[in-house]
Amino acid sequence: MRRSAVSLCGIAALVAGLVAAVPSAAGADSRTAPRAPHTPKTLVWKKCATPDHPRLECASLKVPLDHDRRHGQQITLALSRVRHTAQTYQGPLLVNPGGPGGSGLTMAGAVAASLPKKVAAQYDVIGFDPRGVGRSTPALTCRPGHAAPVRPDSVPTTPALESANLHRVQAFAKACAKKYAHVLPYIDTVSAAKDIDAIRAALGARKVNYFAYSYGTYLGAVYARLFPDRVRRMVLDSVVDPTAVWYEANLAQDFAFDARHKAFFAWVAKHHAAYKLGKDPAKIEAKWYALRAAVAKKPAGRKVGPAELEDTYLPGGYYNGYWPLLAEAFAAYANQHRTGPLVKAYESLGAVDAAGDNGYSVYAAVQCRDAAWPRDWDRWREDNWAVYAKAPFMTWNNVWYNAPCAFWPTAGLRPTDVRNSALPPVLLFQATDDAATPYEGAVRMHRELRRSRLVVEWGGGNHGVTLSGNACLDRYLAKYLDKGEVPSSGGEVDAVCKALPDPKPRRAQPGGKAARGAELHGLLGFRS
């Protein structure tokens, strides 16, 4: 999203001084808490350790498919836990990586390991797979292999390309309707928020602490709207614009991702000695689009056509730690006509496996159900050609990712009004150049949550900024989780931290040691 001067003026001042027909289910559109409190249930925790997270435990919890029908069909949520070890116990800290469709089981271990030991020891860090996701049941997979290569070119420059892409998204929507007709009306953010309260009750906690990224920030805000008296502390990192759910949010992303793609080209230009792609970012950008045209004619390794190329370079808009890998693949093709590195980059960052099929199915189910999307395809065509004229990188790829919502079998609900003056201080973190959740969305959430505090990473472009190596941001996070302390400037922005330097070419980093934050960004995934 293009940031306005008004949106950034608060930061500038602070720096200077220092975003077919399944019937709608009765009750699914409820914006109120369940009529009766959840009955506490006993959770049976079992060890489910991994080499990286040896203290991880797992359990499952049954919740109603429809929270307005407590004794109706039940579904199962998969939970994980890293238990507190300190005498001081501050309760459960639920963590969520976003999505929608992201699995949170491993995230409990990652957060517990990344927080300062003194802070992590005071909490039971709780991960969970939201309804429909991962090890929760039923887990949705509408159309296995939907993203298998090679897909039609995403930019519909001919009627045949537009028709081919429309056929794909319509087939996906029909497959979801056929397989999950009775479930889809309940795969939405409000239902997931009510699940969180069921988890809270099962944990025996009067109030919950919550720490989430990306879409998880919106889920947290909806939970807080429904259950304001059950929120103890809440951290929202890389914040969704709660006023743009979801069609408008995706249009805003297109501009932001195009700008972030240009930042990648500028970085490549600075490292001409490593990549030999030139010193002019505009000319390097032209070479990338020439690469795109070449794989449109002949897909690299019979796997990477133009849509897959976009899928491969999209992650660079989320996390600059991927830039060296992406630059190497680009240089190998552009300078030596070698396709192997590009195919490997696609397989590492862009290819979709079974977990990705599940995640995308839940993503579509939640986004298409949460809000009303345009059902007139002419509206999509007109809006997105206009955006593409200014931001060509991901516009049409993003269209086809979200286009099942134009044909979705369930009607869209009304987005939740998250305005809230009944909460304790909520701590927000946001990078100024985040592409997935543009900066203005964090400003709007800050205004909607009356007593919230906003900490900004000035000049940062990554999506997910805490627990990624920025000591300044992490100090604010630790103080808040430890003592409840929050910064306060009295202005639009409460604190500013300088962004970390961009990465260096991998050949300048002997041993290829992964940057801190790589595990986190792997958990957050893309399209969040």
Side-chain angles (χ1 to χ4, degrees), residues 109-480:
V111 169
S114 299
L115 285 171
K117 291 182 179 179
K118 174 188 173 184
V119 176
Q122 299 176 54
Y123 291 92
D124 285 345
V125 183
I126 306 295
F128 63 100
D129 279 353
R131 54 176 55 203
V133 175
R135 295 185 185 177
S136 293
T137 55
L140 275 59
T141 298
C142 294
R143 190 171 183 247
H146 177 71
V150 172
R151 308 197 307 274
D153 191 328
S154 61
V155 181
T157 52
T158 67
L161 281 173
E162 182 176 36
S163 178
N165 280 296
L166 280 171
H167 176 76
R168 286 186 66 254
V169 300
Q170 289 170 333
F172 183 85
K174 289 177 182 177
C176 288
K178 183 177 181 180
K179 295 176 72 171
Y180 303 112
H182 70 293
V183 174
L184 290 181
Y186 306 100
I187 306 296
D188 63 278
T189 299
V190 168
S191 295
K194 293 177 180 180
D195 289 343
I196 289 176
D197 203 58
I199 295 172
R200 176 203 58 79
L203 294 169
R206 189 172 65 86
K207 294 189 176 186
V208 71
N209 306 285
Y210 182 83
F211 177 19
Y213 295 85
S214 194
Y215 161 78
T217 67
Y218 179 65
L219 175 59
V222 171
Y223 176 79
R225 175 70 176 190
L226 297 179
F227 307 99
D229 58 329
R230 298 174 192 174
V231 175
R232 182 175 179 269
R233 289 178 188 160
M234 180 172 284
V235 180
L236 308 180
D237 183 330
S238 302
V239 185
V240 164
D241 184 345
T243 68
V245 176
W246 291 111
Y247 183 74
E248 292 80 6
N250 281 282
L251 294 175
Q253 277 187 337
D254 297 334
F255 291 106
F257 272 111
D258 200 78
R260 197 66 185 144
H261 199 42
K262 285 179 168 61
F264 165 66
F265 296 135
W267 178 84
V268 172
K270 289 181 180 179
H271 296 286
H272 170 66
Y275 303 117
K276 303 295 190 294
L277 285 166
K279 299 181 180 181
D280 183 342
K283 291 181 179 179
I284 294 172
E285 182 176 15
K287 288 183 179 181
W288 189 87
Y289 281 101
L291 163 60
R292 189 188 187 284
V295 297
K297 294 179 179 179
K298 184 180 180 181
R302 299 182 179 180
K303 284 187 176 181
V304 184
E308 291 75 27
L309 183 72
E310 291 161 347
D311 292 348
T312 303
Y313 281 79
L314 171 69
Y318 282 83
Y319 178 47
N320 62 9
Y322 299 131
W323 285 2
L325 171 65
L326 295 173
E328 290 167 13
F330 180 12
Y333 191 102
N335 295 334
Q336 301 168 336
H337 304 290
R338 290 193 296 123
T339 62
L342 185 60
V343 172
K344 288 183 179 179
Y346 164 70
E347 291 172 345
S348 175
L349 298 177
V352 177
D353 58 12
D357 282 335
N358 167 243
Y360 177 58
S361 296
V362 177
Y363 171 95
V366 172
Q367 294 233 334
C368 298
R369 180 62 167 155
D370 266 1
W373 291 69
R375 296 285 179 153
D376 180 359
W377 186 249
D378 288 339
R379 163 84 181 277
W380 289 70
R381 184 188 294 115
E382 180 179 354
D383 287 350
N384 285 283
W385 275 122
V387 173
Y388 176 83
K390 298 178 181 179
F393 169 49
M394 281 300 298
T395 295
W396 279 102
N397 190 297
N398 207 16
V399 168
W400 303 120
Y401 199 81
N402 291 280
C405 294
F407 310 99
W408 203 245
T410 57
L413 304 174
R414 296 186 304 276
T416 300
D417 180 351
V418 303
R419 285 178 294 180
N420 207 321
S421 59
L423 296 175
V426 172
L427 190 58
L428 313 180
F429 290 92
Q430 183 68 34
T432 54
D433 300 328
D434 182 353
T437 52
Y439 173 78
E440 282 189 349
V443 173
R444 292 195 178 104
M445 184 72 85
H446 184 28
R447 293 170 181 164
E448 302 288 77
L449 305 182
R450 184 67 61 85
R451 299 174 62 196
S452 63
R453 302 290 190 269
L454 176 59
V455 180
V456 169
E457 186 183 54
W458 178 257
N462 287 341
H463 183 63
V465 293
T466 58
L467 303 183
S468 296
N470 190 317
C472 175
L473 296 172
D474 289 350
R475 279 194 296 271
Y476 286 110
L477 174 65
K479 287 180 180 179
Y480 178 68

